[in-house]
Amino acid sequence: MTVELISVGTELLLGNIVNTNAAYLAEQCAMLGLSCFYQTVVGDNEERLTETLKTALERSDVILLSGGLGPTQDDLTKETAAEVLGRKLYMDESSKKRLQEFFARRKMEITENNWKQAMVPEGAIVLANENGTAPGIIMEEGGKRLILLPGPPGELIPMFESAVFPYLAKAQPGVIYSQTVKLCGIGESKAETMAADLIAKQKNPTIAPYAKVGEVHLRITAKASVEKEAKKLIKPVVKELKNRFGMSVYTTDERVTLEQAVVDLLLANHLTVTTAESCTGGLLSARLTSVPGVSEVFKSGQVTYSNKAKHKLLGVKKPSLDKYGAVSENVAKEMAKGAAAASKADVAVAITGIAGPDGGSSAKPVGLVYIACNVCGKTKVKSYHFSGNRSKVRENSVVAALTLMRQCILEYYSEVTFR
């Protein structure tokens, strides 16, 4: 089946809001085995939305619309969709009751225009919104499926996962099953080259590479009559990818993030960790402490932005700072060693660099970052040259630090455990 995404909202066209819904829905549709050939953003204009909808219905089997289901006059998605399919709107009592309960719980007065959200097209499947006021709507017409979802991601995502994903999965002939092999410490072009022969001859299952910040994800998707058979098709492909990429594979579980994989590695080896950050300003500590259960291994995190703090808190030698500068291999190494000694942690990671936009030179340009990792007294330092703005440099630095930490722990121990 083919699917088309239509995102509704003038604020999207103006760039006031980043269209994260389209990225999420496209990824979910790929997991379902749906072919997405078109994505459209249209403003809050009835005429243009009508034209967009009619075109989508001519060329796609499933149309997913997000946004424009609110209570104001410029929220036109539901009304326009109903008009295109020739359906009248009526007051859905279940949706009306949910609206009343929603406002009552918050001790808020419900205004007259809110009742507009309880109006639904005749013959529609109404999807309850557990996180907001606008219900979702599914309309089936002549083999086509028109699905309307609320715009806020906090409402759209849970509604899609609980109601729309199962609905579309049932509509697909057979079963679609996916598994993701997540890689770190390897670039997208190299990863694709290493798996090129598998990708070239793919039929069922298929392999799709996705580039993330500092990571590459390879999604293997199989189609079969039952899930068990689909898993059986995927298993040898996952095994082959593990053989090819070795230590670069940090998980084959879609739910596991890089930081969780690192924390799991620390827990499995009964290691404690501390961080010392300069240019990243605590972002590495934030990523680590976002993982449940990290309190068992995380000792402390220090942001030593100034040279004085590096010397006083981490014991970085003044001659090192004077001779090599704060952004150097020597200082990164001393930061990691000093952090480990101060906290008595088994693992210490230090980051120092030039995030920009100022502060760079021909010898040390913006984007130059040194990361050091000390594992039980053994220290490794790597230099990186990241491109992009300040935010990108900092984000890439954190991912590189997590990758280096994982690599150093695995190198310290002989056994590698894949999740």
Side-chain angles (χ1 to χ4, degrees), residues 61-83:
D61 303 310
V62 178
I63 298 93
L64 284 169
L65 292 100
S66 60
L69 299 182
T72 60
Q73 289 185 357
D74 63 346
D75 290 310
L76 302 165
T77 302
K78 177 175 54 184
E79 290 77 7
T80 306
E83 180 69 25

Side-chain angles (χ1 to χ4, degrees), residues 15-325:
N16 295 331
I17 296 176
V18 177
N19 191 5
T20 58
N21 285 342
Y24 167 79
L25 291 171
E27 191 173 28
Q28 294 298 308
C29 288
M31 290 177 67
L32 284 160
L34 297 169
S35 299
C36 183
F37 300 134
Y38 300 98
Q39 293 186 21
T40 306
V41 178
V42 61
D44 302 304
N45 179 280
E46 186 177 0
E47 185 179 344
R48 287 189 285 273
L49 181 54
T50 297
E51 182 183 348
T52 303
L53 267 173
K54 286 181 177 179
T55 301
L57 285 165
E58 287 175 2
R59 65 190 181 190
S60 302
D61 303 310
V62 178
I63 298 93
L64 284 169
L65 292 100
S66 60
L69 299 182
T72 60
Q73 289 185 357
D74 63 346
D75 290 310
L76 302 165
T77 302
K78 177 175 54 184
E79 290 77 7
T80 306
E83 180 69 25
V84 168
L85 294 184
R87 310 245 186 133
K88 293 182 179 179
L89 297 174
Y90 73 97
M91 178 66 72
D92 179 57
E93 291 302 322
S94 178
S95 297
K96 181 179 179 181
K97 184 180 178 182
R98 294 183 73 87
L99 270 174
Q100 291 170 325
E101 291 172 349
F102 181 91
F103 281 90
R105 281 195 303 271
R106 289 158 179 76
K107 297 181 179 178
M108 295 168 59
E109 182 182 351
I110 188 166
T111 56
E112 191 62 32
N113 59 351
N114 274 289
W115 298 121
K116 173 178 179 287
Q117 294 180 291
M119 300 292 289
V120 301
E122 292 176 337
I125 300 169
V126 182
L127 309 177
N129 188 343
E130 303 293 343
N131 301 279
T133 55
I137 290 165
I138 299 175
M139 289 186 279
E140 299 173 346
E141 185 77 27
K144 307 283 185 173
R145 293 173 171 86
L146 200 61
I147 303 172
L148 283 55
L149 296 165
E155 299 176 31
L156 179 145
I157 293 173
M159 184 181 290
F160 187 90
E161 291 179 350
S162 64
V164 180
F165 192 98
Y167 168 81
L168 290 175
K170 286 181 181 178
Q172 279 281 74
V175 171
I176 302 292
Y177 183 81
S178 295
Q179 187 172 356
T180 302
V181 175
K182 296 186 179 182
L183 314 174
C184 63
I186 187 169
E188 181 187 14
S189 56
K190 185 177 180 181
E192 190 169 357
T193 299
M194 289 175 67
D197 59 316
L198 295 175
I199 295 171
K201 66 181 181 182
Q202 64 183 351
K203 289 182 179 179
N204 186 29
T206 59
I207 303 171
Y210 298 91
K212 307 287 183 179
V213 177
E215 300 181 39
V216 178
H217 295 181
L218 300 171
R219 175 169 291 138
I220 307 99
T221 304
K223 185 177 180 181
S225 55
V226 293
E227 187 175 297
K228 185 178 179 181
E229 183 61 31
K231 286 181 177 179
K232 188 177 178 181
L233 290 169
I234 284 174
K235 190 175 180 179
V237 179
V238 173
K239 184 179 179 180
E240 178 60 26
L241 291 172
K242 281 184 176 182
N243 289 335
R244 293 191 185 195
F245 291 102
M247 280 176 48
S248 295
V249 179
Y250 74 82
T251 188
T252 58
D253 187 335
E254 179 67 41
R255 299 163 296 180
V256 174
T257 60
L258 179 56
E259 55 266 33
Q260 184 174 335
V262 170
V263 170
D264 288 345
L265 194 59
L266 291 165
L267 287 165
N269 291 288
H270 308 289
L271 299 172
T272 54
V273 65
T274 188
T275 60
E277 301 179 64
S278 185
C279 64
T280 47
L283 292 176
L284 175 59
S285 295
R287 284 280 291 267
L288 287 169
T289 54
S290 69
V291 179
V294 74
S295 57
E296 295 292 322
V297 296
F298 189 82
K299 278 205 163 186
S300 62
Q302 298 199 61
V303 178
T304 53
Y305 218 76
S306 67
N307 285 358
K308 186 176 180 180
K310 290 179 178 68
H311 170 67
K312 186 176 180 180
L313 299 175
L314 302 175
V316 176
K317 298 170 186 174
K318 286 185 177 180
S320 298
L321 289 163
D322 294 337
K323 184 177 181 179
Y324 303 108

Side-chain angles (χ1 to χ4, degrees), residues 350-371:
I351 305 173
T352 180
I354 306 168
D358 305 315
S361 66
S362 56
K364 294 183 179 181
V366 170
L368 175 64
V369 178
Y370 288 92
I371 303 174

